[in-house]
Amino acid sequence: AAGVIQSPRHLIKEKRETATLKCYPIPRHDTVYWYQQGPGQDPQFLISFYEKMQSDKGSIPDRFSAQQFSDYHSELNMSSLELGDSALYFCASSLRGDSPLHFGNGTRLTVT
Amino acid sequence: GQQLNQSPQSMFIQEGEDVSMNCTSSSIFNTWLWYKQDPGEGPVLLIALYKAGELTSNGRLTAQFGITRKDSFLNISASIPSDVGIYFCAGQASGTYKYIFGTGTRLKVLA
């Protein structure tokens, strides 16, 4: 079965650069979530979208923005990167927001 | 904000033993999910719970949605080496899309 696809798998950026992470949800899933997971930490909710509209917002820094496009894929844009932004970034998708989340394999972002 | 306390934080067990872990919250949740995560990989859904008191099994795994809607537990029976990993609970409150994750239980199985 098709799963959540994230790209790139790994990304190395320097401080103050920008990064764009992409997420392609499971076909027919209309809700996308972004989570940030630091080393040894639990996933922290950043933001979610339902039917291309922001549905919930968590601890997403103002330097980050995200959107969901007409084909339901989502992009997380990160600007003015800081060393502390180094983490695994997971995208998850679900159907209607009230069904279980299915996660991608994440993007490992390293900021140097 | 909402917090999910998961315990134990880590467990070392012998192969064949049963394992139990739980999550508690100060808030009421409408949905509880249990995930397993291997290093560098995304969390994989194990069990989903939607009703207070619900008891659901998935092979050697059994999970229950607490009656108060503020807790859930996961049991693994007859553990095997491939059960090694980090187990997370996640809860979703009414009127919100986001799932809050527990702090994780790190399981190690000794052969």
Side-chain angles (χ1 to χ4, degrees), chain A residues 55-107:
Chain A
S55 55
D56 221 327
K57 193 172 181 180
S59 52
I60 184 169
D62 292 340
R63 300 176 288 108
F64 294 5
S65 65
Q67 59 181 320
Q68 185 180 31
F69 294 85
S70 57
D71 64 351
Y72 295 102
H73 94 273
S74 178
E75 294 183 5
L76 178 65
N77 298 295
M78 311 159 74
S79 62
S80 302
L81 287 169
E82 302 173 356
L83 296 178
D85 296 329
S86 296
L88 269 169
Y89 289 84
F90 289 106
C91 172
S93 73
S94 72
L95 187 59
R96 289 191 309 275
D98 59 0
S99 63
L101 305 188
H102 294 271
F103 282 81
N105 275 330
T107 294

Side-chain angles (χ1 to χ4, degrees), chain B residues 30-92:
Chain B
N30 286 348
T31 303
W32 284 96
L33 305 176
W34 283 93
Y35 288 90
K36 178 176 183 279
Q37 185 177 28
D38 292 326
E41 304 294 325
V44 174
L45 180 69
L46 299 174
I47 291 180
L49 302 161
Y50 300 102
K51 280 171 45 176
E54 180 181 355
L55 185 70
T56 297
S57 293
N58 177 8
R60 294 178 296 106
L61 279 60
T62 301
Q64 184 159 27
F65 194 140
I67 291 292
T68 65
R69 295 167 64 193
K70 292 183 178 182
D71 61 350
S72 177
F73 73 76
L74 174 71
N75 284 344
I76 305 174
S77 63
S79 57
I80 59 178
S82 62
D83 290 334
V84 165
I86 304 175
Y87 292 79
F88 288 103
C89 62
Q92 184 187 51

